[in-house]
Amino acid sequence: MHRFLFGNRDELVARCKLKVAQRHQRAATEQQLAHGVPMFLDQLTRTLGAESDDNEAASIAISGPSGGDSRALSEIGLSATAHGKALLDLGYTVDQVVHDYGDLCQAITDLAFERNAPFAVAEFRTLNRCLDNAIADAVTEFSFQRDAQLAVQRTAFDKQRLGFLVHELRNALGTATLAVRALELGNMPIGGATGAVLKRSLSTLGLLIGRATAEVRAEGSDQRQLFPVAAFVADVEVAARLDASTEGAVLEVRAVDPLLGVLANRELLHAALANLLQNAFKFTRHNSLVTLNAYAFGDHVHIDVEDHCGGLPPGGVAKMFVPFKPNDDSRAGLGLGLSISRQSIEADQGTLTVRDVPGSGCVFTISLPRHPLH
């Protein structure tokens, strides 16, 4: 068999490539798969040659014993593990790992039948041993690397989710603190507008804690409701004015059509819009204007937050909503606020976009489907 494999190497490799090309979503260069079929075919040929010369030690060194060796990988094992990792890096599945070696086995048997080349039973046993060891080592490495990647991704996801929760809790607590301070300094009644801000902030804290508890219990529910945009903007405005005065910004809220309505999770939308406004107050020029404007745009409702930060640096729009990648401004935090806002809005079939106005500022736009008020 080793003479047959050596003499028909190019034909066997070509047949394997053809089988690979016929499978869905398989495209890789020879360099990317250098540890795959061609190398295995050469190793198989040398293994069979060693056995033909009664050199069992050399045969085992190349291909490993039957059942493999957990203490040390053979030459075939080392290249098979590299092949398994290469397929994972290319985005393939574990099925593809098995198919690669199965293709060679089928190509050998098909060509041997066509050429009427008889093989001894012992040679088939060696072929099966080499295939078994190569597949086992490739699949083991593929699975190990995949599990490692999943663990890293899971850790990153958990970190991001925890960061989101902490960011929202901090925002709600900060607003509540501002409201308490305003109540103390102004000796205002708790039943007034500032007291309502405090109550809403405490309610938001309770909602966030409840939502986190529900996630731990794998529970969830659709808490969307139909509400008028005008009343919603009025609620947001009260708390926003406290933040604006603290940051040295001027807030302008334009009149809203009382007939505009949206279907959304009001608390999450409130938190998202508050994030946008806090971001605007933080980065707009001192004593400059931040505008909040809600209006109809076709079959959608748009809510714009426009600031006067001076515009974005090159590439700023692209990374604006990426968590844990804040800009170089010393006032920037973890870069979570905008990412949280976008996720909340997208959960209500909406979008959040930003438009850079060079030399002036930014315009963030929430777009939600418009719903008639009953």
Side-chain angles (χ1 to χ4, degrees):
M1 184 186 283
H2 72 282
R3 294 189 184 91
F4 174 83
L5 297 181
F6 181 81
N8 295 281
R9 181 186 185 279
D10 292 342
E11 173 67 18
L12 291 170
V13 171
R15 291 191 178 205
C16 290
K17 287 182 178 179
L18 180 61
K19 292 178 183 294
V20 166
Q22 291 172 344
R23 284 201 290 274
H24 181 59
Q25 291 184 339
R26 177 65 190 268
T29 66
E30 285 191 37
Q31 285 184 330
Q32 289 172 318
L33 301 179
H35 299 281
V37 167
M39 183 176 288
F40 174 77
L41 180 57
D42 294 339
Q43 292 163 339
L44 172 62
T45 303
R46 290 192 291 114
T47 299
L48 289 164
E51 293 195 352
S52 178
D53 295 335
D54 292 326
N55 191 343
E56 184 178 354
S59 171
I60 296 301
I62 298 170
S63 60
S66 180
D69 187 349
S70 59
R71 295 169 298 176
L73 289 174
S74 64
E75 186 180 324
I76 280 181
L78 290 171
S79 57
T81 56
H83 184 57
K85 184 178 185 302
L87 290 180
L88 177 66
D89 293 340
L90 290 168
Y92 299 129
T93 66
V94 70
D95 291 343
Q96 186 66 65
V97 178
V98 178
H99 281 314
D100 271 11
Y101 294 102
D103 287 341
L104 178 59
C105 182
Q106 185 177 352
I108 291 172
T109 54
D110 288 348
L111 187 59
F113 179 79
E114 294 171 14
R115 303 284 171 85
N116 194 25
F119 298 140
V121 173
E123 291 178 318
F124 271 111
R125 287 177 179 168
T126 300
L127 170 61
N128 288 332
R129 186 187 83 222
C130 292
L131 285 170
D132 183 46
N133 288 345
I135 291 172
D137 290 331
V139 169
T140 298
E141 181 67 13
F142 181 96
S143 301
F144 174 80
Q145 295 291 342
R146 181 191 58 192
D147 291 345
Q149 285 185 7
L150 290 175
V152 171
Q153 292 170 2
R154 181 65 185 178
T155 299
F157 174 77
D158 289 342
K159 177 183 176 182
Q160 184 182 82
R161 186 169 61 178
L162 178 60
F164 285 178
L165 176 61
V166 170
H167 184 277
E168 292 289 71
L169 288 171
R170 185 184 64 184
N171 280 350
L173 180 60
T175 301
T177 302
L178 286 176
V180 169
R181 191 174 302 161
L183 288 170
E184 290 175 342
L185 293 176
N187 196 25
M188 293 178 285
I190 193 68
T194 304
V197 172
L198 175 60
K199 292 176 184 177
R200 178 174 289 279
S201 299
L202 294 175
S203 175
T204 300
L205 286 170
L207 174 71
L208 291 169
I209 294 171
R211 190 172 64 190
T213 303
E215 287 182 1
V216 172
R217 295 175 179 172
E219 299 172 355
S221 60
D222 187 357
Q223 298 180 337
R224 292 189 300 170
Q225 57 180 300
L226 178 67
F227 55 86
V229 177
F232 169 75
V233 169
D235 284 344
V236 173
E237 179 184 358
V238 178
R241 291 201 178 280
L242 290 174
D243 289 327
S245 61
T246 302
E247 295 287 349
V250 179
L251 174 64
E252 177 185 310
V253 181
R254 297 184 181 165
V256 182
D257 184 345
L259 298 180
L260 291 183
V262 293
L263 180 66
N265 185 315
R266 183 171 180 141
E267 295 299 328
L268 292 184
L269 184 60
H270 188 287
L273 183 54
N275 266 327
L276 297 182
L277 287 166
Q278 288 170 4
N279 185 76
F281 298 148
K282 183 187 296 184
F283 292 102
T284 198
R285 296 188 180 101
H286 188 68
N287 286 330
S288 64
L289 194 66
V290 172
T291 305
L292 174 59
N293 184 27
Y295 54 94
F297 188 85
D299 57 355
H300 281 70
V301 172
H302 283 190
I303 304 176
D304 290 346
V305 175
E306 182 176 1
D307 62 39
H308 288 83
C309 64
L312 296 174
V317 173
K319 68 176 184 178
M320 183 66 69
F321 299 99
V322 180
F324 300 106
K325 287 188 178 180
N327 58 43
D328 296 331
D329 195 295
S330 61
R331 296 166 293 177
L334 295 175
L336 292 173
L338 296 177
S339 179
I340 295 171
S341 299
R342 170 172 274 186
Q343 289 191 15
S344 298
I345 292 163
E346 288 178 348
D348 285 324
Q349 289 76 54
T351 60
L352 173 59
T353 57
V354 61
R355 177 167 54 88
D356 181 29
V357 184
S360 177
C362 301
V363 181
F364 288 88
T365 300
I366 297 173
S367 179
L368 291 166
R370 183 178 179 181
H371 287 266
L373 296 173
H374 299 300

